[in-house]
Every structure is written in structure tokens, then in C-alpha cells.
């Protein structure tokens, strides 16, 4: 193993543990990544030294907590290259970020308007729109995909009309690893004055995100999928939209003045942050960003790319296997099926061999239906995974095949 | 005739000879193969246990105070587990099933399948089998 | 200091720290409590040993995480004596819990129906209702209070009519310390078939909560105000209501099946839990419950009661002070004003003396308006506070008075 | 006439003699008392700096290329801070104010008041004073 990789791995306490008597091999990074000790410690240090509620207190701990919290906002802003801190809304996760837009943005629309999402979306970028469409009399249209798991841009162009008010699209598919051509989609959408929401849950830990370059209108992601804590998410939104949108949740923080005669709302970003935020988790997110930047997000991407190519080649060689998703220009999520072996059976046995991977529908049932399957096995890599782990995994997969033969 | 306790003790005893997880799972898969054929017609949505990753179907019949289960799954491990439950619970009375102690699952080392994870079907199967028992009890036994 | 209290204090690392060169005296517990080491460690241990996404994985870490997460639900259920785990919904805080009800429950109502909240509510139990009422054409009515800060039950009875569909009321006022007579209000409401939502943010760390005994329909609280982590809250709801209510947010976890033709929702409690939950924080909440139960919630209440009575008596003796809220049957939140001294001035200097208290409107502007003031100073106690701290605080307050004389 | 830099240096020098926080705050309060009387009529919502716990009002006048500020607060510490800002910035040109360096606030040990906490008014005051400068600049200086 390369010394740099050893350095990275040594920061993750959980990677030393055994499960079922075997060394843990964690290939379920698409679901959630593991946390480096810096992130874990940032959170516990916060509780040991600084814990306090933010924004409203005059006392030392509150002031220091507020500074740290707002500095975290600044880190996120810089990390994704947003124009202003006002464009960074803290939520509890990608799902909430999308729900926020789905509820608040659609309140500006008229009955009969339509929203487009793609066939390959995670349920979190489908169901919020279904709920909003039902509530407001909007139509939900589906951008279709090709059999190799790419977005069908022609079909997309064909379903856009002058009642189309938003396009929601995953940056990277959590099943196929497809990297969608966001800039192209944004250009197409903007030429029709349609804003684009990008579900960045699967991209933020793997690609350099530059929202100014992507020019998307909204970008949603979760800290827990990028080495950060659970319970923290981000919604990036262009100020021009966020200014127009009504508040989502009501409560403390998001108001300017409250009275029973009429309440006025706070400025951005606070207008969308009701209630006590997850200060500790947000500070830990800025530590996760620091972790990624120390390695270099491009380096992470490069290593993952090597792992992915290696695994794809070896899996193909193995035979009797169906691979889903594109072969090139893809992310480090690999979905596959062993012929005649149920993913649940294989996953259960691989777990006994210490390998954590995901089996099932991956919260993407419409995509499963498209391929006519009930689920896949999925491995997904992060900065700390190694070729050696893939080799062990492949060996184990061979054993599983033998067991079921 | 044996009762639930005896049948589950017997299964637990069979499992106790394995100290290797692989042997245990091979045995589970074998047990699954012993299940009588389950016609495709019965693989209907109403017989499907919802929420698990594998598809598993369970049906039940009431005959003379006893319930007899049948089932199938598209995953072999799940099928094996279904088979174990069917072997243990089939032939018991509704009351026995409603009140039965499922701790043998722990003893045969399948506790992990009892987790509240919805991915696996064990909890769902047990719940469904007990629901059948409740339904049959209210249908037949209050009449008798 | 009593040895039991020393034992408790020693579990809170932050209490050893100095701020502004003085030993920290933390009297801002109404905003958020400090965290015992058991809670802090529970969260970091989770990330070091068990971290994984829940509910859908077949692998060991996912299974173990799910068990721990669902056990935490069980702890909460037992802690507040709910009938079933299906009644425990995890949210990100009190504010979100109330927003959930405000949006989902009101979708069942008709234009012209009304909702009642009290004059003494925190903004989090006002603004969500204002937003929902505006969106759905409902009326928001105000239950008034008396000058000693008690709910005016007669006036409340007088504004209930057959279009009243819900009453939202704080268990304990975060400004006045008033303990509202929930059982009486619930009886009044239920005799009119009206459900009651109790904002328990300020009670859950101080009173034994028994939702079956209170017989309220909803009960909302935040982990961070009861020795737990930030970013975790609970909504208790009676199953009969939760079953009727539509989902609030859409996404993973909360669905049974998703398709573009129609989506079906999961069972309780998952129907209301979209997206990856804050697993670590939720497990830490069960540790916070364990912490409170080890001392005994009645013992905590008794000690806080002593502190409160002591502080109230001494503050009254001091003279030139206005105290707000009832004198008896009250919680450990004390709001006051020094005559002719602005709370911000006093708070700023007390901070320099190491004392963390809160000044301002406490997110209760309608209540401030009622008293014709712009804010108060507020001290609020927790299990680890001591008579000695109050003495130091009183001394410091004397100094502040001298400075401004 | 002194400029912003000289006036802020002078204030920082005055503060540098205090090593006790109490003396420093007493001095801030004293400075506040030196503010000219601010008529109640000017304490209007439009002159109020929003978002701070104390009420603070700031007004500005433009005369011959210079801006003159006045202000008040119901809290003495806030009033003192307002007074310091007014002393330093009054008499400067719009451009000077727009571009001025506020690091002296750090040097006089008031950095904690610069926090993004909305409870205190310092950030709000600076922002408002700069907004006045921008407004006067666009109103007068493009015409001249
Ligand atoms: C009575 C009351 N309700 C609601 C809240 C809001 O709680 P959170 O900010 O944790 O959502 C608070 C906390 O300040 C409170 O005191
Ligand atoms: C593409 C995609 N979108 C959304 C989500 C939801 O993220 P979260 O559960 O953190 O809200 C996921 C995570 O599973 C995802 O992969």
C-alpha cells in the first residue's frame, strides 16, 4: 500500500476494527463514508470546550460558537465556490435540502406548471416533488435514460415546454455512477429560463464542485457522505431564487420580528434556518472539508478512479456478471449482479467475510424497474480504499459464487 | 406429534454442530431446498412480506385447530430461514403461534436477522405468521 | 458543595474551563445544556466503531447501527411513557417537530378552521402556525396570560369554538418559568374533541414527562436542551393522529414503494423520517436519558427547585429589580430586569466575570410586548448548577449595579 | 483636520492604557456620555439598526463632501461603541468611509463585538454607516 494511503487510513479509527472476525472492508461509502479522527474530535472538542447556542447570546461561549459556526459556513462557501455566504443554507441533509426547495420554490408556481426529474434519481429527489406536485396541482415529468445508464438529452429537450419551471437532476447516480452533464443540462434549461437543482449527494466527496462554473441554481448535499457527521446538510441556492422563495420552516433564528399581527423574516441565509442548528456537526463539516482539501479533492478523485477501473476490469473478467451504468466517465459507485445469485444472499455471505457493501434497490426503485430488476449489489469507494481490499473482495466474491454453484 | 418447543429445540441442536459460519449458511440453504414446491400462482402481492430485500411469500391454511404454512423466496438464505420458521410453526394451534417464544432463533445464531433492519425478512415473516394465527383464531375459534 | 453534585459536575468537561480569565458559570441552560462526557463519548464511539447508514443494509455495521438506533427510540418511548415506538418520530429539534405538525396536521383542516397558541409561546410555537394558517386560510387565535405570567384559562375557554382544531401550548415558558396546567388544558380541549400539542422544550430536562398521564396528542422536544447533542429532536404523537396525517418530507426511509405512477408510504414511525437520520446524535440522546435517569429526574427537579427558590429570594432582597413570572409552581428559568440598567449592558459585564446568561427577547417577542419591554436578563439552571455559583452571580450582579450607578 | 486613520489611532492609544476590562468598559461608557443629545424625534424605526439586542439609532448628514454622523442607544455600552464609531468616521468623505479599515476595533479590544452574533450592534452600525456613505456618494458625487 502506498504510504500516502497508509496516512489517510490511519486517520480512520473504524478501519482498524474487525467484523465477524475479519478485518473490516468498507465498500458502502455511497450510503455514508467513515469519519476521520479530526472530524470526530472536532465534534467532541466542541462539546467539551465551546458548546452553546448561537447567534443570540452575548456571552463568550455563544460568541465563540457563533464565530465557529459562521466560519464553517464560509468554508462551505469557499469549498463549492459560491458567491456569498448568503447562498449557504444549513439543513439536516440532502433530503431536507431538496424538500426545502420542493416546498418553497413550488409555492411560487401555478397549477399546471411542470417539474422534471430523471429516471435515475434517488427517492429523495423524486418523492419531495411528488408531494409538492400533488399539493399544488403541478405535473411531474420524467427525463428518461438510455440502456447504458446515461441521461437521454434529446428526450429531455423534448419534454421541456413553457410550463416547465424546474429540472432536478443527480450530479452522480448513486446506483450507476453516471456523471450527468450538468453544464449542458443547465445551458439547455437556462436558455428556457428554467432553474436547475443538482442533487450532489454522490458527487461532493468525489469531484471538485464549483457551483459558479456549473451555474446550477440549487445544489444539495449531505455532510455524512463526505467524511462529516450525520444530521448536517447543505443547500446552496442562488441568491436571486432564495430571496424570492418564502421561508420553509418557522421558528427561532429565521425571523426578524414576530408579532401576532404580522411577522417579518430574517435575511439570508437565516430565513431558511429555523431553530437551533446542529452547531457541533456543522463545525465538524468544516473539519471534513479540511480533511479533503489536505489530500486534495482531485487526488481523491484520481485514486478512486484507479480503484474503479481496476474493479470494473476484474469484475468483467470474472464472467457471469451483469454490470450496470456507463463504462467510462463514471464515478466510484459500481452496481452489479452475479448471474443466478440473489444480491441478498451474496451480500449476507460477503458480510460474514468482513465486507460491507450494499444490496437492494438503493432508494432508486424507478431505476430498478427500468432495468427490470429488484436490486443490485453495490460497492462504492472513498479516499481510504485500496487495491488490496478490492483483491480480497474479488476473492471473496469467487467463494460466494462457489457456494451457490 | 411434537410441539413448537420440541421442534425448535431440535433445529437448534442441528445447528449447534456448526462452529463455522459457512457450514451454518450452507445448512440454511439446504433446509430451504427441502421446502415443498410453491406454485407461482401463490406468489401474489398479497402473500408477499413487505419491506425485505428478497421477495418472500408466505401462505397459511387452517385445518382442525392447526395452522399449516407454506412459503418461498427468491433468495436462498431467506428461503432457508422461511423453511425453518415453517417447520417450527406448522402444525401448531393459533394460540401456540401467537404466544410462541422465538428465542431459538437466537440459539441457532440467526439473531442478526432479527434486527430491526428492514432489509431482511425474518421479522416480517414472524409478524405475518402471527397475524395469520390471530386471524384464524378470531375466525374459527370464537365460532367453535 | 454536596458530593453528589461534585459527582455530577465532574461528568461535564466544559465546567472546568475558564472564560475571560474567570471560572465559567453556565446559567444559559434554557438555551442549551452542557453535555456529560458519557454523551460526548457515545457520539464519538459510534463514529469510531459502528458508523453506518441504517435500516437498509445487510452488513454488520448497518445492522448494529440500526439496532442501536431503534434501541434509542425505545429509550425515548420509555422515558416519556409513550404507548408505542411508533409514536416516537426523530426530527432535528423542537422547531422541526412543531413544523411537522403545523404542516401535516393542518392539511387535514378546512378554510376557516382555527388554531390556538398562547401569548407566552416561543417563536417556534408561533411562526410555524402563522405560516400554516396563511397557506391554508386558517385563523390563529391567541390564548392570553395574566400579569403574573399565568395562562388565562377562562379566556382560553372563551376563544374555543367548534372550528378550533388544535391548541399549541408550552409545557414551561422559556421566559417566565411558568408551568402550564397541561392536564387541565387537555381535559378542556378533549371535551371539545380538540387535540393539544405541547411544546416540551423547556420541561423535558426538568420534569418527569408522562405523555399517557398528560394525555396530550403531541409532545415536542430537543435533545440539546436535555444534555444531548444538537441536531436531534423528538415528536411524540398519538398513533391515531400520526396515522391520519400525510408525510411531511419525502425521500428515502419514509416510503414503502416508489414509482412515477404512485408512491406508497412506510409505516409509522418511518413515514415521518425522510432521509438519513442523525444516528450518532440519536444514540447519544439515549445516553443523555441514561444520565438523567441515573440521577433521577425527580432529584434533578428538586435540586433545581432549591436553586430557583434561593435565587428568587436573594434577587428579591436585592431590590430595584423586576422579576417576571410566577413565584410558585415554577421552573428553574428566572427572567428579571435591573432597574435603569439595560440587560445588554449587564449581560456584557457579567460575561466578563465568567457568567453565561441570556439577555434579549428569548424568541418570545409577543410576550415582551405584553410586558411592554424589549428584553430581560435570564438565568436558567441545570443539574450541575450550585448555590455557590448563584452566590458568585449575585456578588457580580452587585458589582454591575455599582458600575452603572 | 485629522483623518480616519489618525482618529482611530488616537482612540486605540487611549484604550491601550487599560489592562483591566472594567476600566475599559467604564471608559466606553464615558465616551458614550460625550455624544451630543439625540432628539427623540430621530429615534424612528428607519434610523434603527436592526437585529441587535439594544436599540441603536444612527443618522448621517452630508456637507461639502464630508459625512457627519449622530446616534444614540438605550444601552450604555452600545452607546459608547456608537460614539467611538461616530468620532472616528464623522468628517470623512464617502470614499474614505466606504474603504476604511476597521482593524482599530480589534486594537481597542472590541473584537468580540465584531462577532457575527446578531445580539450586538457593532457590525450593524458599521454596515449602516457604510451604506450611508454609498448613498451619499451616488447622490452627490456623481452630480459634482
Ligand atoms: C419553549 C421553547 N420552544 C421551542 C424552542 C426551540 O427549540 P430548538 O431551537 O431546539 O428547535 C425552545 C428553545 O429555545 C424553547 O425554549
Ligand atoms: C443521489 C442521492 N441523493 C440523495 C440522497 C439522500 O441523502 P440523505 O439521506 O443524506 O438525505 C442520497 C443518499 O443516499 C443519494 O445517494
Amino acid at each position: 500500500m502506498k504510504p500516502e494511503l497508509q496516512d489517510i487510513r490511519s486517520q480512520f479509527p473504524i478501519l482498524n476494527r474487525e467484523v465477524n472476525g475479519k478485518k473490516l472492508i468498507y465498500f458502502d461509502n455511497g450510503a455514508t463514508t467513515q469519519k476521520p479522527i479530526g472530524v470526530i474530535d472536532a465534534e467532541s472538542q466542541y462539546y467539551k470546550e465551546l458548546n452553546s447556542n448561537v447567534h443570540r447570546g452575548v456571552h463568550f461561549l455563544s460568541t465563540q460558537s457563533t464565530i465557529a459556526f459562521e466560519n464553517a459556513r464560509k468554508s462551505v462557501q469557499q469549498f463549492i465556490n459560491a458567491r456569498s455566504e448568503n447562498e449557504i443554507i444549513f439543513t439536516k441533509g440532502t433530503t431536507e435540502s431538496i424538500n426545502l426547495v420542493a416546498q418553497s420554490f413550488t409555492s411560487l408556481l401555478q397549477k399546471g406548471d411542470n417539474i422534471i426529474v430523471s429516471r435515475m434519481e434517488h427517492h429523495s429527489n423524486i418523492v419531495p416533488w411528488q408531494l409538492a406536485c400533488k399539493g399544488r396541482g403541478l405535473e411531474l415529468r420524467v427525463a428518461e435514460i438510455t440502456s447504458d445508464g446515461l441521461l437521454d438529452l434529446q428526450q429531455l429537450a423534448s419534454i421541456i415546454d413553457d410550463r416547465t419551471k424546474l429540472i432536478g437532476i443527480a450530479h452522480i447516480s448513486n446506483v450507476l455512477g453516471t456523471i450527468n452533464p450538468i453544464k449542458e443540462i443547465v445551458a439547455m434549461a437556462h436558455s428556457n429560463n428554467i432553474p436547475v437543482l443538482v442533487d450532489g449527494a454522490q458527487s461532493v466527496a468525489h469531484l471538485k464542485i464549483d457551483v459558479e462554473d456549473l451555474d446550477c441554481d440549487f445544489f444539495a448535499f449531505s455532510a455524512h457522505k463526505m467524511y462529516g457527521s450525520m444530521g448536517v446538510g447543505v443547500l446552496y441556492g442562488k441568491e436571486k431564487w432564495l430571496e424570492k422563495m418564502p421561508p420553509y420552516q418557522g421558528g427561532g433564528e429565521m425571523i426578524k420580528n414576530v408579532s401576532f399581527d404580522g411577522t417579518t423574516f430574517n435575511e439570508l441565509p437565516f430565513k431558511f434556518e429555523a431553530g437551533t442548528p446542529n452547531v457541533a456537526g456543522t463545525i465538524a463539516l468544516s473539519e471534513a472539508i479540511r480533511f479533503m482539501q489536505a489530500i486534495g479533492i482531485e487526488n481523491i478523485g484520481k485514486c478512486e478512479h484507479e480503484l474503479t477501473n481496476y474493479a470494473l476490469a476484474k469484475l468483467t473478467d470474472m464472467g457471469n456478471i451483469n454490470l450496470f451504468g456507463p463504462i467510462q466517465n463514471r464515478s466510484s459507485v459500481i452496481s452489479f449482479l452475479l448471474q443466478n445469485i440473489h444480491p441478498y444472499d451474496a451480500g449476507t455471505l460477503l458480510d460474514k467475510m468482513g465486507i460491507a457493501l450494499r444490496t437492494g434497490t438503493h432508494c432508486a426503485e424507478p431505476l430498478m424497474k427500468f432495468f427490470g430488476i429488484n436490486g443490485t449489489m453495490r460497492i462504492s469507494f472513498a479516499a481510504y480504499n485500496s487495491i488490496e481490499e478490492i483483491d480480497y473482495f474479488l476473492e471473496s466474491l469467487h467463494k460466494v459464487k462457489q457456494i451457490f454453484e | 406429534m411434537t410441539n413448537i418447543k420440541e421442534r425448535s429445540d431440535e433445529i437448534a441442536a442441528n445447528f449447534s454442530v456448526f462452529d463455522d459460519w459457512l457450514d451454518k449458511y450452507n445448512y440454511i440453504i439446504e433446509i430451504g431446498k427441502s421446502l415443498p414446491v410453491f406454485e407461482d400462482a401463490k406468489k401474489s402481492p398479497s402473500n408477499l412480506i413487505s419491506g425485505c430485500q428478497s421477495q418472500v411469500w408466505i401462505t397459511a391454511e387452517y385445518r382442525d385447530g392447526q395452522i399449516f404454512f407454506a412459503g418461498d423466496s427468491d433468495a436462498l438464505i431467506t428461503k432457508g430461514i422461511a423453511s425453518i420458521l415453517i417447520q417450527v410453526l406448522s402444525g401448531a394451534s393459533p394460540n401456540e403461534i401467537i404466544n410462541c417464544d422465538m428465542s431459538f432463533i437466537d440459539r441457532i445464531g440467526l439473531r442478526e436477522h432479527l434486527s430491526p433492519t428492514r432489509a431482511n425478512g425474518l421479522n416480517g415473516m414472524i409478524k405475518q405468521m402471527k397475524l395469520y394465527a390471530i386471524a384464524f383464531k378470531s375466525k374459527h375459534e370464537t365460532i367453535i
Side-chain angles (χ1 to χ4, degrees), chain A, chain B:
Chain A
M1 209 179 286
K2 292 183 214 162
E4 308 93 84
L5 184 54
Q6 288 286 17
D7 271 4
I8 293 171
R9 290 183 65 87
S10 68
Q11 295 179 53
F12 289 80
I14 204 170
L15 297 181
N16 293 320
R17 79 161 284 173
E18 296 196 339
V19 305
N20 295 320
K22 303 280 170 11
K23 203 157 166 45
L24 170 66
I25 296 197
Y26 189 76
F27 281 175
D28 194 16
N29 295 289
T32 196
T33 60
Q34 295 304 336
K35 322 303 174 200
I37 190 71
V39 167
I40 300 172
D41 285 349
E43 193 150 342
S44 56
Q45 282 310 102
Y46 174 76
Y47 287 129
K48 287 176 188 168
E49 291 178 4
L50 224 53
N51 173 61
S52 176
N53 214 319
V54 288
H55 289 310
R56 303 249 156 228
V58 300
H59 60 78
F60 179 87
L61 294 178
S62 181
T63 306
Q64 296 302 312
S65 285
T66 305
I67 292 173
F69 182 71
E70 292 302 329
N71 281 343
R73 196 189 303 276
K74 220 170 285 173
S75 317
V76 172
Q77 179 223 322
Q78 288 162 358
F79 182 63
I80 63 169
N81 196 32
R83 283 159 215 84
S84 151
E85 291 149 44
N86 294 349
E87 298 178 324
I88 306 300
I89 315 287
F90 287 120
T91 64
K92 66 179 176 179
T94 307
T95 302
E96 182 170 61
S97 297
I98 297 174
N99 276 277
L100 192 166
V101 180
Q103 287 302 322
S104 173
F105 179 84
T106 60
S107 75
L108 306 170
L109 305 185
Q110 306 298 323
K111 229 175 220 168
D113 286 343
N114 67 72
I115 304 271
I116 297 174
V117 300
S118 92
R119 174 77 53 193
M120 70 170 94
E121 299 309 306
H122 186 280
H123 295 163
S124 290
N125 201 22
I126 297 175
V127 187
W129 302 109
Q130 290 182 321
L131 294 175
C133 287
K134 189 163 169 241
R136 305 198 195 278
L138 311 172
E139 183 195 346
L140 188 60
R141 295 186 176 177
V142 184
E144 293 295 347
I145 60 172
T146 63
S147 60
D148 46 352
L150 297 175
L151 204 68
D152 182 343
L153 290 177
Q154 275 192 315
Q155 187 268 351
L156 173 58
S158 77
I159 59 170
I160 291 176
D161 63 20
D162 57 357
R163 301 299 298 272
T164 303
K165 299 300 175 187
L166 187 137
I167 298 175
I169 183 85
H171 197 175
I172 292 181
S173 156
N174 68 314
V175 178
L176 306 170
T178 312
I179 302 175
N180 283 312
I182 299 298
K183 289 176 74 164
E184 233 173 297
I185 296 166
V186 167
M188 186 196 294
H190 284 186
S191 73
N192 292 282
N193 289 315
I194 301 166
V196 175
L197 174 140
V198 176
D199 173 353
Q202 292 296 335
S203 63
V204 70
H206 308 281
L207 294 180
K208 170 81 195 107
I209 303 300
D210 181 334
V211 289
E212 190 162 351
D213 182 51
L214 290 175
D215 201 24
C216 57
D217 300 271
F218 301 99
F219 191 92
F221 58 98
S222 301
H224 74 93
K225 292 187 200 277
M226 54 179 284
Y227 311 101
S229 302
M230 287 161 153
V232 179
V234 174
L235 173 67
Y236 157 82
K238 281 189 184 165
E239 233 170 317
K240 68 169 178 184
W241 293 117
L242 296 178
E243 285 291 358
K244 282 201 193 102
M245 285 157 55
Y248 173 54
Q249 298 184 327
E253 295 276 327
M254 56 70 77
I255 55 91
K256 186 169 273 165
N257 287 113
V258 173
S259 94
F260 284 113
D261 302 326
T263 287
T264 53
F265 303 116
N266 207 332
E267 292 161 17
L268 291 176
F270 308 107
K271 181 171 96 176
F272 290 106
E273 294 180 355
T276 302
N278 185 344
V279 183
T282 306
I283 291 169
L285 169 58
S286 69
E287 197 55 44
I289 290 175
R290 208 162 302 145
F291 163 81
M292 289 176 66
Q293 288 176 330
I295 309 175
I297 173 89
E298 285 84 1
N299 292 332
I300 293 176
K302 224 176 74 192
C303 294
E304 290 171 348
H305 192 65
E306 279 168 28
L307 296 177
T308 307
N309 283 346
Y310 182 79
L312 279 174
K314 292 281 184 177
L315 284 170
T316 309
D317 288 351
M318 189 177 259
N320 294 327
I321 197 165
N322 293 333
L323 284 156
F324 297 88
I327 293 159
Q328 297 211 311
N329 187 30
R330 71 188 323 286
S331 181
S332 55
V333 169
I334 302 177
S335 271
F336 62 95
L337 278 174
L338 299 174
Q339 273 158 33
N340 299 322
I341 302 181
H342 196 286
Y344 176 76
D345 286 333
T348 301
L349 297 189
L350 287 168
D351 171 50
K352 291 287 165 194
M353 302 174 190
I355 298 164
L357 50 62
R358 186 133 301 224
T359 55
T361 63
H362 317 294
C363 296
E365 290 180 8
L367 182 62
M368 295 298 120
K369 202 168 162 191
F370 174 84
F371 285 111
I373 54 179
N374 289 319
T376 73
M377 304 174 70
R378 182 186 79 180
I379 55 177
S380 50
F381 304 128
Y384 39 72
N385 289 125
S386 70
I387 294 283
E388 290 82 349
E389 288 179 321
I390 295 177
D391 285 336
Y392 176 79
F393 160 73
L394 292 163
E395 256 173 60
S396 308
L397 207 56
H398 266 294
K399 274 195 207 139
V400 167
K401 287 178 81 168
Q402 281 163 1
I403 294 169
F404 289 104
E405 247 153 33
Chain B
M1 276 298 297
T2 55
N3 63 22
I4 289 183
K5 172 91 178 61
E6 286 156 356
R7 292 192 294 272
S8 60
D9 281 351
E10 192 190 323
I11 292 215
N14 292 348
F15 269 94
S16 69
V17 302
F18 306 121
D19 38 35
D20 184 62
W21 63 267
L22 186 51
D23 295 337
K24 195 174 79 183
Y25 275 93
N26 268 325
Y27 185 56
I28 292 174
I29 294 166
E30 282 311 308
I31 296 177
K33 292 181 181 160
S34 71
L35 263 183
V37 174
F38 192 84
E39 306 103 79
D40 278 354
K42 290 203 257 170
K43 292 184 181 171
S44 65
S46 62
N47 291 330
L48 194 67
I49 307 293
S50 83
C52 38
Q53 282 190 11
S54 42
Q55 295 184 280
V56 37
W57 302 269
I58 302 269
T59 58
E61 262 181 89
Y62 181 87
R63 289 200 301 272
D64 299 335
Q66 290 176 298
I67 300 178
F68 297 90
F69 294 101
D72 200 357
S73 171
D74 58 349
L76 297 183
I77 293 172
T78 313
K79 187 171 177 173
I81 291 171
S83 179
I84 292 170
L85 289 179
I86 290 169
Q87 281 183 32
V88 170
L89 296 181
S90 274
S93 71
N95 266 341
E96 277 184 284
I97 292 169
I98 292 166
N99 301 316
C100 81
D101 164 20
M102 286 290 165
S103 65
F104 78 94
I105 287 165
D106 209 347
R107 279 184 288 145
I108 65 183
L110 286 180
R111 185 152 67 128
E112 66 236 48
H113 293 268
L114 267 179
S115 87
T117 296
R118 283 167 277 160
N120 72 64
L122 182 51
N123 273 325
M125 289 186 249
I126 294 173
K127 201 170 143 194
Q128 186 55 46
M129 291 164 104
K130 292 204 171 203
L131 281 176
Y132 275 125
I134 292 168
F136 284 126
K137 182 178 154 79
S138 69
K139 190 169 165 199
H140 297 283
E141 307 203 343
T142 47
I143 298 168
I144 296 164

